[in-house]
Amino acid sequence: MKAFFNKVLYFLHIKKKPQAVAQSTNGLMVAEPDVGNMYLDTYKEDSYNEESNTIIRLVSPKSKKKDYAVKGIEDVASKNNWKAWLYLGPVIILIAVFLLYPLINTIFIAFAKDYSYATGTFKGITLENFGVIFHITPTGAGGWEENFIKYAIPNTLIITFVTVPVSIALALLISVALNSIKWFQKFLQTVFFLPYVTNAVAIGLVFSVIFNKDGIINYIFNSNITWIYGAERWVAMIPLCIYIVWHSLPFKILILLSGLQGVDKQYYQAAQIDAASKFKTLTRITVPLLSPQILYLMITSFIAAFKEYTSVVSMFGGPGTLGKNSITPDMETIVYYVYQNVEKGLTSRAAAAAVFLFVVILVFTFIQMKVSKARVHY
Amino acid sequence: MSEAVKVNKQYIDFKKERVYPNLVLSIEESSKTVDAIKRTEKIMKIVSTILTYAFILVLAIGVIFPFYWMIITSLKQREEIIASTQTFFPQIVMWTNYSYVFTVFDFTNYMLNTIIVAIFSTIGTLLTTIFAAFAFARLKFKGRDAVFAIFLMTMMIPGEMMVISNYLTVSAFGWVSDQTRLEAFLCMIVPFWISVFYIYLLRQNFKQIPNELYLAAKVDGKSDWSFLWKVMVPLAAPTLISITILKFMGTWNSYVWPALVTKKDEFRLISNGLRGSAFTDPDTNEVEYGYQMAASFCVTVPLFLLFVFFRKYIMRGVGRAGIKG
């Protein structure tokens, strides 16, 4: 009886038809039997259900899909499944071709015996490639490969363990100082960001001019040290590390400064009342509060230092201090070793070195996550 | 009651100064008066400010010095550069160093190559990033979180892992042997059409766009496609600008991959040209630092201009990486 009256009221436009949106917010009971199936079929608009956070459409209780028929609704958003895959298509194809396939393929090449990249043939699975680069097994020609263990790994380790702590400590001091000053703060902030927006090769060349034997550094310090061309390996490490620190500072300062600006001023006021010294404030308040940022920087800069390559190329022009004419690759890093062997066509060695790098990076990241979990204040 | 009044009487009423005309109030801390403490505090503050500024300025000079030296050296004569007495300003300003860069060292060609590669790889990256970010942020499908997790995990893989196989892949596409200019460009563009980090960045941005906008558009009968281009992309414009600039800078700096895949010098990018042998005297095997620095300056200037005009976007894009969430 009530249903009949309602229908009449709707027909005469006295009572408004229930709107889909309004109905669904009251609950899912849109398919009131007294409204009738005919009415429900006319409602095709999508509406939103807050409880299930889905976009729904009213359907007839006679719908073929049982789930929808019972509730009288269907989830429109999840219905367009294939469309989502269409949007993701280009990325998935590119990632598969240029990211995942290479990853698997490189690991495979590293373990394949006598892999030929021209034909793609190999003679079984072996650890020989790793043996060769680690100076355990002789190369196929009968010689010994020692560049990796003698130059690439030690150089990379030196770069990592010198530049990462130095640059983070320096960046921390600079950003604390920048945060505390009043005049020219924005200007100085911009100045410290400048090294980020440069061409790495161009500035590497500049550094090699500055550290030239006849260059400005020797002139200022009144010394006569060969820093770059034909330098001793350990001496040449100094300008290299200075350049890497110089180049990595802006990113770190930016991250730390944005972290500092989010720190509650109350901590510092409390420290002031307790008459804490500046050094104590730095070590007891600033560093713990910035620990998430510092952890992030440590992980990223460890990885970046392990992958150092452009700095060597731009400063020395080759794997050794004699540039392209170097007989011994005494400035080589792990990544440099990989690229050199790709160029030489020694794909197996390059792959083995790349896999080694991959594993080291993974382990480092993992250890750092574990160790700092207890110490990081979030 | 009476007791309380008694206690009150013990206090000194400072308002009635006339009662105690000779009273001088003095709070002492380790035999220093308030004025003395205030004075030392002020002095300490000034000293620490000066020290802070000195520290910052010394480092700032260290940061700027390479740029200064690049410009100065680019304007010097060869004799002056290697002279035993270094000068902080060129004695004879050599503008010819710059004209050499544009004539002998084929700077315009390298520049053009770099710009073409940068434009096309940026466009490709933007498109794939927008689509993927939209799918992850807005659409619902089975396995969405799993796919996104896999995407994020690929960020852990060092790019050097991929270089070996990617080199084999582009060779298999026939882009390396008998290389034409187009093939060389394809080698340098196509593998860089993906950036998981930018997808992540844009997805976070898309997620901030309120649900109600999407629902309103849906109720109005808009398709996902038009919603993406008419609403989401304009709203996420700042992030997209950041991505564009950072990507452009990435191409400007790329060195390894172009050096590996291009077989002729004329196809290479600006960084390769800089490190090339054009600045080495073939007879004496000595580097012409003046020319080299002039070219370095020309390569650095566009990046500087970009930085001056888009400082906000660059710093935001770079800084976003460090913010958790």
Side-chain angles (χ1 to χ4, degrees):
Chain A
M1 201 55 190
K2 198 185 164 194
F4 173 72
F5 273 121
N6 271 343
K7 271 182 186 171
V8 174
L9 291 175
Y10 294 150
F11 181 70
L12 297 172
H13 290 278
I14 293 166
K15 191 177 174 183
K16 265 192 167 179
K17 273 185 184 176
Q19 293 292 308
V21 177
Q23 284 278 355
S24 60
T25 48
N26 295 339
L28 297 183
M29 293 307 292
V30 206
E32 276 180 68
D34 50 359
V35 179
N37 296 336
M38 195 183 68
Y39 151 73
L40 274 175
D41 282 342
T42 61
Y43 265 83
K44 288 292 180 197
E45 286 104 324
D46 300 328
S47 64
Y48 175 58
N49 180 254
E50 280 175 4
E51 280 171 31
S52 56
N53 195 24
T54 51
I55 299 149
I56 59 169
R57 172 184 290 157
L58 304 177
V59 293
S60 156
K62 285 176 184 168
S63 168
K64 282 172 190 167
K65 285 185 184 169
K66 264 192 181 168
D67 290 354
Y68 299 145
V70 173
K71 285 180 185 169
I73 56 163
E74 70 178 329
D75 190 341
V76 176
S78 62
K79 208 184 81 174
N80 295 333
N81 233 329
W82 60 274
K83 266 193 188 167
W85 291 107
L86 216 61
Y87 278 108
L88 277 180
V91 176
I92 286 183
I93 290 169
L94 284 167
I95 282 194
V97 174
F98 292 112
L99 261 168
L100 292 180
Y101 164 72
L103 177 69
I104 296 160
N105 196 33
T106 307
I107 294 171
F108 158 72
I109 293 174
F111 286 101
K113 190 182 164 74
D114 292 339
Y115 177 82
S116 152
Y117 74 95
T119 53
T121 53
F122 64 103
K123 297 174 190 161
I125 298 301
T126 171
L127 284 171
E128 228 169 57
N129 298 324
F130 292 96
V132 168
I133 62 167
F134 283 110
H135 205 262
I136 298 164
T137 48
T139 57
W144 290 87
E145 163 74 15
E146 56 181 11
N147 290 340
F148 190 66
I149 200 122
K150 205 170 164 187
Y151 300 114
I153 291 182
N155 287 348
T156 309
L157 288 179
I158 291 169
I159 291 171
T160 310
F161 288 105
V162 171
T163 62
V164 172
V166 169
S167 62
I168 288 184
L170 210 54
L172 192 69
L173 287 177
I174 293 173
S175 39
V176 168
L178 271 179
N179 200 37
S180 69
I181 60 172
K182 251 188 280 178
W183 305 295
F184 302 117
Q185 195 195 27
K186 277 274 178 288
F187 170 74
L188 286 166
Q189 222 173 309
T190 311
V191 166
F192 279 105
F193 193 71
L194 279 183
Y196 192 85
V197 284
T198 50
N199 184 298
V201 176
I203 296 296
L205 293 173
V206 176
F207 268 80
S208 69
V209 171
I210 289 174
F211 281 95
N212 193 14
K213 198 157 187 274
D214 308 312
I216 183 73
I217 289 288
N218 271 349
Y219 176 69
I220 289 176
F221 294 102
N222 208 5
S223 55
N224 197 19
I225 302 166
T226 318
W227 297 102
I228 308 281
Y229 187 78
E232 291 264 332
R233 181 181 172 195
W234 309 115
V235 177
M237 272 294 165
I238 298 169
L240 183 66
C241 287
I242 291 175
Y243 169 58
I244 294 170
V245 169
W246 182 89
H247 201 239
S248 66
L249 271 183
F251 176 69
K252 297 192 172 82
I253 293 173
L254 185 77
I255 300 289
L256 290 174
L257 211 55
S258 68
L260 271 177
Q261 276 152 6
V263 169
D264 196 337
K265 290 277 183 297
Q266 282 184 359
Y267 293 112
Y268 293 108
Q269 284 161 359
Q272 218 175 7
I273 289 165
D274 291 348
S277 69
K278 288 224 158 168
F279 181 73
K280 232 177 186 169
T281 318
L282 180 72
T283 51
R284 294 287 164 82
I285 296 177
T286 311
V287 173
L289 281 172
L290 283 181
S291 49
Q293 277 86 0
I294 293 174
L295 170 72
Y296 169 79
L297 286 179
M298 268 166 74
I299 294 173
T300 49
S301 48
F302 256 100
I303 293 172
F306 257 101
K307 299 200 289 189
E308 207 53 67
Y309 164 81
T310 323
S311 53
V312 180
V313 157
S314 56
M315 279 184 87
F316 299 99
T321 50
L322 286 171
K324 274 189 184 133
N325 312 322
S326 316
I327 303 151
T328 49
D330 47 4
M331 296 310 288
E332 207 171 47
T333 59
I334 293 177
V335 173
Y336 208 128
Y337 182 86
V338 173
Y339 287 140
Q340 254 207 330
N341 281 299
V342 174
E343 266 175 28
K344 282 187 208 157
L346 298 164
T347 322
S348 305
R349 278 183 216 175
V355 169
F356 172 73
L357 178 76
F358 179 48
V359 171
V360 167
I361 286 175
L362 278 190
V363 168
F364 255 99
T365 316
F366 188 70
I367 290 174
Q368 251 176 352
M369 291 282 207
K370 277 272 169 206
V371 167
S372 44
K373 212 164 221 173
R375 295 197 178 175
V376 169
H377 157 91
Y378 279 99
Chain B
M1 270 313 272
S2 61
E3 260 179 311
V5 172
K6 263 183 189 171
V7 172
N8 266 343
K9 277 184 178 172
Q10 287 178 352
Y11 290 113
I12 303 162
D13 192 353
F14 287 108
K15 281 179 182 170
K16 295 177 183 169
E17 276 176 47
R18 282 170 301 164
V19 182
Y20 307 97
N22 298 322
L23 182 88
V24 176
L25 179 70
S26 150
I27 300 167
E28 292 194 3
E29 188 185 273
S30 56
S31 71
K32 273 188 251 166
T33 57
V34 175
D35 285 347
I37 293 169
K38 270 190 179 170
R39 209 180 307 130
T40 40
E41 258 182 15
K42 208 173 182 183
I43 291 168
M44 283 304 287
K45 208 180 172 190
I46 292 169
V47 167
S48 81
T49 314
I50 291 171
L51 283 179
T52 315
Y53 269 102
F55 170 74
I56 287 192
L57 282 178
V58 166
L59 284 168
I61 289 168
V63 165
I64 290 195
F65 185 73
F67 296 111
Y68 170 73
W69 203 247
M70 171 169 71
I71 297 165
I72 292 306
T73 312
S74 74
L75 293 171
K76 278 183 184 175
Q77 271 181 308
R78 183 177 164 73
E79 288 70 35
E80 201 184 337
I81 293 167
I82 58 167
S84 56
T85 336
Q86 293 283 313
T87 47
F88 285 88
F89 197 79
Q91 286 160 337
I92 306 161
V93 179
M94 292 284 287
W95 295 111
T96 45
N97 284 349
Y98 282 87
S99 61
Y100 172 89
V101 169
F102 282 96
T103 52
V104 182
F105 169 62
D106 204 356
F107 187 71
T108 18
N109 177 42
Y110 288 122
M111 195 82 130
L112 217 62
N113 284 352
T114 313
I115 288 173
I116 291 169
V117 170
I119 286 174
F120 282 99
S121 57
T122 306
I123 290 173
T125 309
L126 278 181
L127 286 177
T128 57
T129 305
I130 287 171
F131 290 152
F134 177 68
F136 283 128
R138 186 47 72 207
L139 300 178
K140 273 188 181 175
F141 53 94
K142 263 182 200 155
R144 178 175 72 171
D145 296 338
V147 174
F148 192 61
I150 292 171
F151 270 42
L152 288 186
M153 270 193 272
T154 59
M155 287 212 292
M156 301 263 279
I157 310 167
E160 288 69 25
M161 276 294 273
M162 273 74 94
V163 164
I164 304 162
S165 297
N166 279 351
Y167 181 70
L168 301 180
T169 307
V170 290
S171 312
F173 289 162
W175 291 346
V176 176
S177 56
D178 295 333
Q179 206 169 35
T180 61
R181 192 173 280 266
L182 175 71
E183 283 172 343
F185 283 173
L186 282 175
C187 281
M188 290 187 272
I189 292 168
V190 178
F192 297 97
W193 273 349
I194 25 161
S195 167
V196 176
F197 174 63
Y198 293 151
I199 292 174
Y200 170 74
L201 204 67
L202 196 61
R203 172 187 174 267
Q204 299 302 93
N205 207 284
F206 277 173
K207 279 232 153 191
Q208 288 167 2
I209 294 169
N211 248 348
E212 283 72 20
L213 277 179
Y214 181 60
L215 299 167
K218 278 268 129 181
V219 171
D220 286 348
K222 278 253 184 287
S223 65
D224 285 347
W225 179 259
S226 60
F227 177 72
L228 170 62
W229 290 107
K230 297 235 168 90
V231 181
M232 290 191 109
V233 168
L235 280 176
T239 308
L240 291 171
I241 294 173
S242 295
I243 291 174
T244 308
I245 295 166
L246 292 180
K247 184 82 192 169
F248 219 88
M249 281 166 59
T251 313
W252 205 261
N253 276 324
S254 67
Y255 176 85
V256 186
W257 180 252
L260 204 63
V261 293
T262 51
K263 293 299 158 202
K264 282 179 191 159
D265 265 347
E266 66 211 66
F267 300 153
R268 296 194 171 174
L269 302 189
I270 201 95
S271 302
N272 309 110
L274 267 186
R275 191 63 260 191
S277 51
F279 305 110
T280 315
D281 197 325
D283 303 327
T284 56
N285 205 14
E286 276 172 347
V287 185
E288 293 283 355
Y289 291 113
Y291 301 152
Q292 204 178 40
M293 288 302 103
S296 297
F297 181 71
C298 294
V299 170
T300 313
V301 161
L303 285 176
F304 260 75
L305 292 179
L306 212 62
F307 179 59
V308 168
F309 290 115
F310 296 99
R311 203 180 71 104
K312 196 175 76 183
Y313 296 106
I314 293 176
M315 289 175 94
R316 182 193 297 169
V318 176
R320 193 75 62 80
I323 296 161
K324 297 227 166 228

